[in-house]
Amino acid sequence: MAEGITAADPQEALDRLLRDLRSRREGLSSRDAERRLTVAGTNDLVRKRGHAWWRELLRQLVHPLALLLWLAAALAALSGSGPLAVAIVAVIVLNAAFAFVQERHAEQAVEALSAYLPPHARALRDGVERQIDARELVPGDVVVISEGDRVSADARLLTGALEIDTSTLTGESAPVAVAVDIGDSHVPLIQARDVVFSGTTCTAGEATAVVFATGMRTELGRIAALSQRIRHEESPLERQVKRVAWLITVVAVGMGVAFIPLGTVVAGLSFGDTVTFAIGLLVANVPEGLLPTITLALAVGVRALARRGALVKRISAVETLGSTSVICTDKTGTLTLNRMRVAGLRTAEGVIDLGEAVEPAAVGTAAQRLALAAVCCSNAEFESVDDPGGAVSVEVGDQTELALLHAAAALGVEPRRDPSGRIAQFHFDPNLRRMSTIDATGDGVCVHTKGAPEEVVARCTRIAVGRDTDRALTDDDRTWIDASVTAWARQGRRLLVLADRRVDAGTAAGLDRDEAERDLVFLGIAAMIDPPRPEVPDAVERCHTAGIRLVVVTGDHALTARGIAEGVGIGRDGLRVVGSREMERMPDRDLDAVLAAPGELVFARSSPETKLRITDALQAQGNIVAMTGDGVNDAPALRSADIGVAMGRSGTDVAREAATMVLTDDNFATIVKAVEAGRQVYDNVRKFIIYIFAHATPEVVPFLIYAVTGGAVPLPLTIMQILAIDLGTETLPALALGREPAEPGLMDRAPRPRTQSVIDGRMLVRAWGVLGGVSAVLVMALFLGTLVAGGWSLGADVDTGPLHHTWQQATTMTFLGIVACQIGTATAARTRRASLAEIGFATNPLLLWGIAFEVCFAALVVTVPFLQRVFGTVVPEPWQVVALVPLPFLVWGCDEMLRWRARRKSRREQGTAE
């Protein structure tokens, strides 16, 4: 039985389908259903279990940067500083816990999908309608569906007709009519008009249907399986930070191990001194503050994005946003307002532009007749609802019909119809593409029809030229009607033709559809548009300036999507539209060629597989892809993209759970703001990496001098003082650099390649060579000057005797000198190319507070007796304090001069190119 059920084709003839499912129109017997339940399983969406929580937490604890911190903690313990070792371990645990909590939020997509399955269903069992647990539905069951029901499984209609809200599955807001007699075996199953799908909702009608798929074999289950197949990949920053962490580890350990034999054999140091040197070298190379600084900077980015309307669920995604090179966006509600309006009307009396103020008295009588037809042939209405502040008008109904009611009001026709005046209604038929009503009006009984131009015009024989007058519809009339339809269609407008016909009051109720919709009088064309969001064109222009390519991936019609895309500036250098049929026949090789070609694209009538194929192809070409979506069917693509962007207002719970970022305002412009914020965060990460790395040079160079001179020059810095710098004075200014305002020209440069490292050669030259090198020279000069001023000579013993205090003064000055150079480094690191005067000295007040903190912290370390004993410092002399003052200006000044030369060279090259 199971094999026969699996082989059933839901689009074959009904009798054949029933035979293959071994079912009948009267349903299954209870005993047969129980047997099938054993074979087919329950009607559930099954989620694959992920890793245990403790494994996820352990993964955070063994991150390369975390391993570096573990190493720093071990070294701190070896150096006799238990409190500092405990502090480092606390930093590791807090970072791991924070990252663990953030990552666990994005793993609930299938649970959200399950919420779309109703708890109960009505099925025919033993020939009797019964309410059963929806989990017990099996293939072959005959279910009863009526208005308000949520569909429990994929089923083919046996009797009746329904209107189904498929927005949770397809993202389309308009209800879809399904009926027994409008099936089509030549279309994809999702487009079949005699099939209903699990998770959708019936908005009107009543029918029976035979179930052909349950659980994970339904369309909803297939989407759930696709969603689970997509695995989370590390962001570019996560991968790059890991590589940098391993590089730092190898360099630090390698240098420390290498200098043990060199120190004992070449430099003639004792083994104990050599081990002390190696430990100091390791501690100096380990950037203890890097991991918490990156984590907190990204967390700050998450909060900043939330204030802009973008909720980011994974902190590393903030940086990924900044490297986005392609945005694949939906149309409705993202590029547009999702508020349909009538932009213009065309009647025999001419064109009426509703984009401008219209004086009803100046409108032709044919247009008012059209407005009356729009009001009568509608199920939308403006309801008056009582409110504490008075009566409030609430719009109820389809967006298209509401748009027509607003147009009628603009033409001076009351947009409220008398419900008692309706005699009959012929619902919108997706095959006929028209709707009609028969209404009793003040002028008699009329048929009012609206629908697709080609369907309604073909049934018209006359044309209205006044309120009560019409004439024969000529070939010339048909010519200008076709021309108007073509011109407006090319602008991406949705077109409806309205018509009417007087009928005899006595026979009106008995008319069938074909009789009612013949010999109609053409009233006019209504051109509707979902207006673009006013801020979108500017956002699109900013994308183009930033080198970001835009691809519209939508379930809408190709002409509509093209019109909206071109209207907001997408495709200014060429726009290609790819329809669903073309996409289905297109092999991956051709798709790669289409995506690699210049210009922007529109993919119309897109399926979940289409979005996945586009995402995979773009990523294979090295792009960082942001994909928007709102429906259940978008979940796989949202999870596959580097940045999945769900709609907060119109999106489904499934889309929001599957996405990396949720837009609270459903606005495309918010995506662009998020990209800008991501670039800003990435730039700021690089800035504080430069700041942190710059201090490795003045921390390492003293140990190298100690080793090279064989101990003739004493250690200029102790291990405890290095830890005081790396975990004390360095951290707050680094965090403040993470809040640095955006540098000028941030959105005027192309996205960085996926392969570009967060740390490159130029950064290292600037950090280690320029900022660090200048700092090392200044600090060593201060150290040696202090020793010489105290009576020291090369090779003199500083471990005991009167020179010991002089050595303590010198190491204190080395510590304070590095802190002073940190101030200059932080100021210089604020900008990549621009001058300090251009960005403003006080535009980052947090940095000023951070500098104030490190000055106060350094003062405490050298003046408080307890801290003096812990860190081996003494109170400096007044002249030594004065000697510290020029250090920040010298460090910043050297970097500022080099940046000035780089800007001048760039301007000269641009002038030559022009």
Side-chain angles (χ1 to χ4, degrees):
M1 178 183 69
E3 293 180 359
I5 293 172
T6 303
D9 178 6
Q11 292 180 280
E12 62 187 347
L14 268 177
D15 291 341
R16 190 179 186 87
L17 177 62
L18 288 169
R19 186 197 67 186
D20 290 344
L21 290 171
R22 301 184 184 181
S23 182
R24 303 174 301 161
R25 293 176 181 269
E26 295 78 21
L28 302 175
S29 67
S30 298
R31 294 172 62 181
D32 188 10
E34 290 177 6
R35 288 193 296 269
R36 294 182 184 222
L37 187 63
T38 303
V39 175
T42 57
N43 183 30
D44 281 328
L45 298 184
V46 181
R47 182 188 180 192
K48 296 178 183 177
R49 296 190 63 84
H51 296 299
W53 67 268
W54 60 269
R55 288 189 178 182
E56 294 292 330
L57 184 57
L58 181 63
R59 185 172 65 87
Q60 302 295 338
L61 292 173
V62 296
H63 185 282
L65 276 178
L67 292 177
L68 282 176
L69 290 177
W70 284 117
L71 178 61
L75 293 174
L78 287 174
S79 65
S81 179
L84 276 176
V86 171
I88 297 173
V89 171
V91 170
I92 298 170
V93 173
L94 286 173
N95 274 281
F98 185 73
F100 169 74
V101 171
Q102 289 290 326
E103 296 295 339
R104 295 291 288 182
H105 282 318
E107 301 299 327
Q108 309 300 323
V110 177
E111 282 84 346
L113 281 167
S114 300
Y116 283 91
L117 298 179
H120 299 98
R122 289 179 294 154
L124 299 181
R125 293 281 176 87
D126 302 313
V128 178
E129 180 182 324
R130 297 178 181 176
Q131 181 169 289
I132 64 171
D133 190 329
R135 299 176 69 253
E136 297 176 0
L137 281 177
V138 294
D141 257 325
V142 174
V143 293
V144 179
I145 306 168
S146 58
E147 182 175 346
D149 290 344
R150 181 166 284 177
V151 181
S152 306
D154 291 0
R156 170 88 174 272
L157 262 60
L158 296 175
T159 63
L162 304 169
E163 285 189 2
I164 299 292
D165 176 5
T166 63
S167 59
T168 57
L169 199 62
T170 66
E172 296 181 2
S173 57
V176 174
V178 294
V180 177
D181 58 349
I182 57 173
D184 187 350
S185 60
H186 301 293
V187 299
L189 181 62
I190 193 68
Q191 296 178 15
R193 289 296 177 255
D194 58 351
V195 175
V196 291
F197 297 97
S198 162
T200 59
T201 303
C202 176
T203 59
E206 186 168 356
T208 62
V210 60
V211 173
F212 61 82
T214 59
M216 295 299 288
R217 289 179 289 274
T218 63
E219 192 73 11
L220 196 65
R222 184 178 61 80
I223 292 172
L226 286 173
S227 296
Q228 294 183 88
R229 199 176 302 158
I230 307 301
R231 299 180 62 185
H232 163 63
E233 294 186 0
E234 294 176 325
S235 75
L237 181 63
E238 289 174 307
R239 291 192 294 269
Q240 292 163 17
V241 166
K242 278 190 176 182
R243 286 198 294 268
V244 170
W246 285 119
L247 175 63
I248 293 172
T249 303
V250 171
V251 170
V253 174
M255 290 179 67
V257 172
F259 270 96
I260 290 178
L262 289 176
T264 55
V265 177
V266 178
L269 299 174
S270 67
F271 181 76
D273 289 341
T274 304
V275 171
T276 300
F277 161 76
I279 292 175
L281 200 60
L282 287 171
V283 173
N285 274 288
V286 174
E288 291 88 350
L290 185 58
L291 181 60
T293 303
I294 288 178
T295 302
L296 292 174
L298 293 175
V300 167
V302 169
R303 290 195 295 272
L305 286 174
R307 289 193 294 269
R308 300 185 184 193
L311 305 179
V312 177
K313 297 163 57 179
R314 194 174 69 241
I315 60 173
S316 61
V318 177
E319 178 272 335
T320 310
L321 275 165
S323 58
T324 299
S325 57
V326 179
I327 298 177
C328 297
T329 178
D330 198 354
K331 180 190 72 66
T332 304
T334 308
L335 298 178
T336 67
L337 293 169
N338 197 21
R339 292 199 295 268
M340 193 74 71
R341 67 175 176 83
V342 178
L345 299 170
R346 178 68 163 95
T347 70
E349 298 172 321
V351 176
I352 302 173
D353 184 359
L354 292 181
E356 302 175 353
V358 177
E359 183 60 43
V363 174
T365 53
Q368 292 181 332
R369 183 171 167 183
L370 179 151
L372 178 63
V375 172
C376 291
C377 189
S378 173
N379 290 315
E381 54 186 325
F382 299 156
E383 291 184 351
S384 182
V385 178
D386 290 334
D387 186 82
V392 177
S393 180
V394 178
E395 299 178 357
V396 179
D398 178 70
Q399 283 287 326
T400 300
E401 293 188 340
L402 288 169
L404 289 171
L405 294 187
H406 281 290
L411 297 176
V413 175
E414 172 63 38
R416 301 178 187 275
R417 63 176 178 82
D418 180 7
S420 62
R422 177 164 295 177
I423 298 172
Q425 173 178 319
F426 302 102
H427 288 281
F428 176 78
D429 187 310
N431 276 355
L432 302 177
R433 292 191 296 170
R434 60 182 184 266
M435 167 189 176
S436 295
T437 59
I438 304 176
D439 307 281
T441 68
D443 298 326
V445 177
C446 287
V447 174
H448 296 110
T449 301
K450 70 171 185 284
E454 58 271 29
E455 297 296 334
V456 178
V457 173
R459 303 183 75 84
C460 293
T461 58
R462 301 184 66 79
I463 182 171
V465 293
R467 176 78 187 203
D468 300 309
T469 58
D470 50 64
R471 59 172 173 78
L473 187 66
T474 66
D475 290 340
D476 288 342
D477 292 326
R478 294 184 186 275
T479 299
W480 70 254
I481 291 172
D482 290 341
S484 298
V485 168
T486 302
W488 270 338
R490 284 176 178 168
Q491 297 175 21
R493 298 185 177 185
R494 183 179 181 184
L495 303 177
L496 287 178
V497 165
L498 290 99
D500 67 9
R501 179 170 74 93
R502 293 278 182 88
V503 294
D504 182 76
T507 60
L511 293 175
D512 61 25
R513 182 164 203 153
D514 189 59
E515 292 173 331
E517 295 176 340
R518 64 178 177 83
D519 298 329
L520 296 173
V521 178
F522 175 87
L523 300 178
I525 309 166
M528 288 177 288
I529 190 170
D530 182 2
R533 291 179 178 270
E535 61 272 26
V536 166
D538 178 62
V540 168
E541 178 60 30
R542 295 181 71 193
C543 285
H544 291 154
T545 303
I548 299 172
R549 189 184 189 192
L550 300 177
V551 177
V552 179
V553 186
T554 178
D556 286 323
H557 189 276
L559 277 177
T560 304
R562 173 189 279 275
I564 292 296
E566 292 178 339
V568 297
I570 297 175
R572 63 180 183 182
D573 297 325
L575 184 67
R576 177 174 176 180
V577 179
V578 180
S580 59
R581 294 188 182 276
E582 181 183 358
M583 186 67 184
E584 289 169 5
R585 295 191 298 266
M586 186 180 293
D588 288 343
R589 181 181 64 257
D590 292 349
L591 177 60
D592 291 341
V594 168
L595 292 171
E600 293 176 322
L601 297 161
V602 170
F603 289 89
R605 300 298 189 195
S606 299
S607 66
E609 290 82 3
T610 298
K611 289 192 171 185
L612 270 178
R613 288 184 64 196
I614 293 170
T615 302
D616 293 342
L618 287 170
Q619 289 174 325
Q621 294 174 3
N623 293 289
I624 304 291
V625 181
M627 171 72 75
T628 71
D630 53 11
V632 172
N633 60 325
D634 293 325
L638 291 175
R639 289 179 63 86
S640 177
D642 297 282
I643 294 290
V645 184
M647 303 299 111
R649 291 181 179 176
S650 61
T652 61
D653 290 340
V654 179
R656 287 191 288 267
E657 290 294 343
T660 310
M661 183 173 77
V662 179
L663 302 182
T664 58
D665 56 3
D666 294 9
N667 193 341
F668 175 82
T670 303
I671 304 176
V672 181
K673 293 178 184 176
V675 171
E676 182 177 6
R679 289 190 177 191
Q680 180 181 340
V681 167
Y682 181 80
D683 275 7
N684 290 347
V685 167
R686 288 168 65 94
K687 288 173 184 177
F688 65 63
I689 287 177
I690 288 176
Y691 170 76
I692 290 173
F693 275 33
H695 307 139
T697 304
E699 290 176 1
V700 171
V701 165
F703 285 91
L704 295 178
I705 292 176
Y706 167 77
V708 169
T709 61
V713 175
L715 278 173
L717 200 64
T718 68
I719 296 172
M720 290 302 300
Q721 289 167 357
I722 292 176
L723 290 174
I725 292 169
D726 290 350
L727 292 176
T729 64
E730 185 176 83
T731 304
L732 282 187
L735 290 176
L737 286 172
R739 299 292 297 274
E740 185 68 28
E743 194 169 337
L746 181 68
M747 291 295 283
D748 294 335
R749 58 180 189 250
R752 66 184 183 277
R754 180 185 286 269
T755 55
Q756 179 180 317
S757 176
V758 69
I759 299 176
D760 55 30
R762 294 181 64 181
M763 281 182 64
L764 294 180
V765 169
R766 185 184 178 195
W768 287 342
V770 179
L771 296 170
V774 172
S775 298
V777 170
L778 295 173
V779 166
M780 285 306 300
L782 202 59
F783 172 73
L784 293 173
T786 303
L787 283 178
V788 171
W792 171 85
S793 61
L794 188 66
D797 181 22
V798 297
D799 292 334
T800 57
L803 287 179
H804 181 68
H805 179 74
T806 299
W807 174 73
Q808 284 184 313
Q809 279 187 320
T811 57
T812 299
M813 291 309 297
T814 303
F815 166 73
L816 292 176
I818 291 177
V819 172
C821 289
Q822 280 181 331
I823 298 173
T825 301
T827 305
R830 290 186 58 197
T831 171
R832 186 176 65 95
R833 294 288 299 275
S835 67
L836 182 62
E838 189 176 353
I839 65 173
F841 177 76
T843 51
N844 187 352
L846 287 177
L847 180 60
L848 300 180
W849 284 107
I851 291 173
F853 168 81
E854 69 174 330
V855 170
C856 293
F857 179 81
L860 293 174
V861 167
V862 300
T863 58
V864 175
F866 169 74
L867 295 177
Q868 287 178 331
R869 290 192 296 272
V870 171
F871 295 103
T873 60
V874 295
V875 178
E877 298 290 337
W879 72 267
Q880 294 170 334
V881 175
V882 173
L884 294 170
V885 174
L887 267 61
F889 298 98
L890 291 172
V891 173
W892 162 75
C894 291
D895 186 75
E896 183 78 10
M897 182 181 66
L898 292 175
R899 282 185 282 113
W900 172 78
R901 291 184 60 187
R903 291 193 302 272
R904 190 176 67 169
K905 180 181 178 181
S906 178
R907 285 193 296 267
R908 190 165 53 244
E909 290 174 350
Q910 290 176 0
T912 303
E914 293 174 358

